[in-house]
Amino acid sequence: MTGSGPPSHDGRMTRPSHAMPGVSDRAGGEVPGDPDTLIAEVLDRSAHRSRTGRSPRIQTVHGSRNQLWDTITRLRAQTRREILSLDDTRYLVAQQVPESIQLRGPATLRSALRRGVAVRQVTSRAGLLADRQLRAIVHRAGGQARVVARVPAKLSILDRRVALIPVNTTVLADGFQILRDPEAVATLVALHQSLWRTGAPPEEPAELPPHLAVILAALADGEPDDMTSRRLGLSPRTYSRRIAELTTFFGVHTRFQIALEAARRGWL
C-alpha cells in the first residue's frame, strides 16, 4: 500500500443534487450547503493547506480489498469514543464488492460497540432496504442511525480526528483517503451533524422479504433492468419474476405503482 497526495476529485455521483441548509465549520462560519460538492471542496482545501505546511498531508491508500480493510480495521480499533459515518449498502452491491469484504465493515463497527464506542450512521431509505441481509447499519446491535432521502457519499469519521473518504466516493474497499487536518475533519463532522438532524429514526418494513427489499432498493435507482440484474447476480428471468412478486406484494400492477405504494409507506 502506498501513501501519496490526493488524486483528482472528478468521480462525482450522477444522482440529482439536493441542496441542504448550510452547515457550520469549527470556526462557526457557514459551509456551502451542497453535500455533493462539499466533500470534494474539503479535500481540495485541505490539500492546499498541506502544500503550504498548515495541515497534515492527505494520505491516499491503495491495495487489495483485504489489505485496505486490514488498514481500516486497525484505524477503527484505535477509536476510543465515537464513529460517525455516512453509509448506503446499495453502493457495495453496485460496486460488486464480494460478501467476504462486505462483512468486514459491520464487524469492525460491532467490535467498536462492544468496547463502548458510540456508532452513529446516516443512511438512506433505499439503503436501509438493501441492508436487510448484510446488516451493515448496526442500530440493531446497539448503534444509532438516522435515515435521509439519500446519502451523498461514503464517509467514516473516527473520534472527530480522522476521516476516511473513498477515492470513488462510494466504497472504502476500492481505495480511500485519510484526512487528519483538524479544519477539514471539523467540516465533515458538521456535514454529518446536519444530515443527522434532518434524518428520522429507522423504521423497517419487517414484513417485506429481504430478497424483495433488495429489488425495491434497486428499482429506486432507476437503472436499466439488464444492468441491475447483472449487478445483483440474477438472471433476467429471475429479476423479472421478483418484480412480479413485488407487484403482488403491494397489490398493484406497474412499477410506477410499486414506487408510489412504497413511498406512501415511507420505504422510499
Side-chain angles (χ1 to χ4, degrees):
M1 291 182 289
T2 61
S4 64
S8 60
H9 312 301
D10 55 0
R12 308 287 173 80
M13 291 191 296
T14 58
R15 292 178 64 86
S17 171
H18 295 272
M20 69 176 187
V23 295
S24 297
D25 62 16
R26 191 171 66 168
E30 285 297 309
V31 178
D34 182 359
D36 292 306
T37 60
L38 178 59
I39 293 177
E41 291 170 359
V42 166
L43 287 167
D44 288 340
R45 291 171 184 169
S46 183
H48 176 73
R49 286 192 295 272
S50 175
R51 287 192 294 271
T52 58
R54 292 182 291 142
S55 71
R57 180 172 59 90
I58 299 174
Q59 181 184 1
T60 301
V61 184
H62 296 293
S64 72
R65 284 172 163 171
N66 271 314
Q67 288 175 321
L68 291 166
W69 266 104
D70 286 344
T71 299
I72 297 165
T73 299
R74 285 195 296 270
L75 289 168
R76 287 185 173 173
Q78 295 167 8
T79 306
R80 293 294 175 261
R81 296 181 301 279
E82 180 184 59
I83 296 175
L84 306 176
S85 69
L86 306 182
D87 292 304
D88 192 319
T89 301
R90 293 176 303 161
Y91 296 156
L92 297 173
V93 178
Q95 296 294 331
Q96 299 182 325
V97 177
E99 184 179 2
S100 61
I101 300 296
Q102 291 185 29
L103 293 171
R104 297 195 64 175
T108 64
L109 297 179
R110 287 192 293 270
S111 176
L113 288 168
R114 289 193 294 269
R115 299 195 311 273
V117 174
V119 176
R120 298 184 176 91
Q121 295 171 281
V122 175
T123 189
S124 70
R125 289 189 287 269
L128 194 64
L129 280 169
D131 187 59
R132 297 194 66 216
Q133 290 178 302
L134 179 60
R135 295 182 177 262
I137 309 303
V138 296
H139 63 289
R140 311 171 189 91
Q144 301 175 57
R146 290 293 183 272
V147 182
V148 297
R150 73 179 190 88
V151 172
K154 168 69 179 177
L155 174 65
S156 184
I157 304 171
L158 314 178
D159 282 337
R160 305 195 181 201
R161 298 177 60 187
V162 177
L164 310 180
I165 301 176
V167 171
N168 65 5
T169 77
T170 56
V171 294
L172 295 170
D174 289 333
F176 59 91
Q177 296 167 291
I178 303 175
L179 275 75
R180 291 186 171 88
D181 174 0
E183 184 174 337
V185 174
T187 301
L188 296 174
V189 169
L191 170 63
H192 185 279
Q193 290 175 328
S194 180
L195 291 169
W196 183 272
R197 285 192 299 270
T198 63
E203 295 181 8
E204 299 177 81
E207 70 271 27
L208 183 64
H211 74 286
L212 295 184
V214 173
I215 302 300
L216 181 58
L219 287 176
D221 285 336
E223 67 183 2
D225 284 4
D226 57 342
M227 291 178 59
T228 303
S229 60
R230 265 199 317 274
R231 175 164 62 79
L232 297 177
L234 302 174
S235 70
R237 178 175 296 179
T238 298
Y239 183 69
S240 296
R241 187 169 62 246
R242 291 191 179 172
I243 291 177
E245 288 182 58
L246 272 177
T247 60
T248 301
F249 177 87
F250 286 113
V252 298
H253 301 287
T254 68
R255 297 185 188 199
F256 180 69
Q257 291 171 329
I258 289 174
L260 285 178
E261 181 60 23
R264 185 188 69 80
R265 301 186 188 195
W267 297 355
L268 288 178

